[in-house]
Amino acid sequence: MSFVAVVVSYNRIELLKKCLHALEHQTRALDEIIVVDNGSTDGSPDYVRQMHPLITLFQTSKNLGGAGGFSWGLEIAMAHEHDAAWIMDDDAEPELDAFEPLAACFDSMVEKPAFLASLVTAGRDTFNDLNQPTISQSTEKQLVANKLDGIAIDAATFVGVLINLRIAERTHLPLSDFFIWVDDMEYTQRLSHKGLALTIPSSRVNHPNTRPASLDMGSRLFYYVRNNLWFVRERSSSVSKDLLDTVGVALHCVKQFSVSKNKVLWLTSTTRGWWQGLFKRPRHQLPGSLLSSLTPAQRAAIGC
């Protein structure tokens, strides 16, 4: 098995340093590390080139959000013919033994999983409740997961998720139009329909448990509304669940109105979110489509 780590980075060089140090010192070595830089202006690309010359660096030239960055990272990982990609943002800091149990589980399974997820912590042994996976309600899946010392899940955030690239090749990439939020849950839920998905609690990845200073989402309310509506429309679920989640988005908008400092911004963000969420759709990009947009020289620079 060949394993690669994919890190999406944007203007957080000090956090990136910690992340890369942890990845390069795993007790089970990774075969490659790919950094997708989303147009950083803090010197991150130069740092990677100078201090980590063996890392594959791809620069998007502009901020594509986490969704766009992970699409590129998985695209490159597939082109490099790895079996699985361990993906995370630059603010993730895996424990030094975090990858070993994931790789061991992946190796041991005759029928390879759709993905394996690390347990997200907010400091050693402290559960991060902002990055909770969606637990599977299937008793059959939980019995299988128990034998593998895991927990069956339906979806997870992109904080230490080991994606089976052979399965990922059979569907479209993460939906880059989401930009931020919900893209990870949509993508991993899509993958979990194609194979077993597990959280492996012995694999720990630290991630800041930073709650916003203000409850006011401001302009980001647009992404929350649009992306959650897109998620409802993209997935295969019951009408009752779709209706319940849509009502939940509406109630969240009402709550946001009460804490919003700028009511005009609330109105424009809410209106745009509902309009695009209901009447537009995110693009579906198949593996290979992103690389085809690069010149031969650009592809050669990243080994594709």
Side-chain angles (χ1 to χ4, degrees), residues 154-194:
D154 292 330
T157 60
F158 283 164
V159 184
V161 179
L162 185 66
I163 303 291
N164 183 336
L165 295 179
R166 300 291 79 77
I167 289 180
E169 289 171 344
R170 292 158 34 196
T171 184
H172 44 279
L173 296 164
L175 300 175
S176 58
D177 287 341
F178 274 61
F179 194 71
I180 58 170
W181 296 344
V182 192
D183 56 296
D184 46 9
M185 302 300 282
E186 187 282 327
Y187 185 63
T188 53
Q189 184 170 93
R190 184 166 15 117
L191 292 179
S192 72
H193 291 313
K194 300 179 181 297

Side-chain angles (χ1 to χ4, degrees), residues 265-281:
L265 180 60
W266 173 88
L267 179 62
T268 57
S269 297
T270 302
T271 303
R272 286 180 61 224
W274 280 93
W275 172 259
Q276 292 195 19
L278 293 176
F279 299 107
K280 292 190 175 184
R281 297 295 287 263

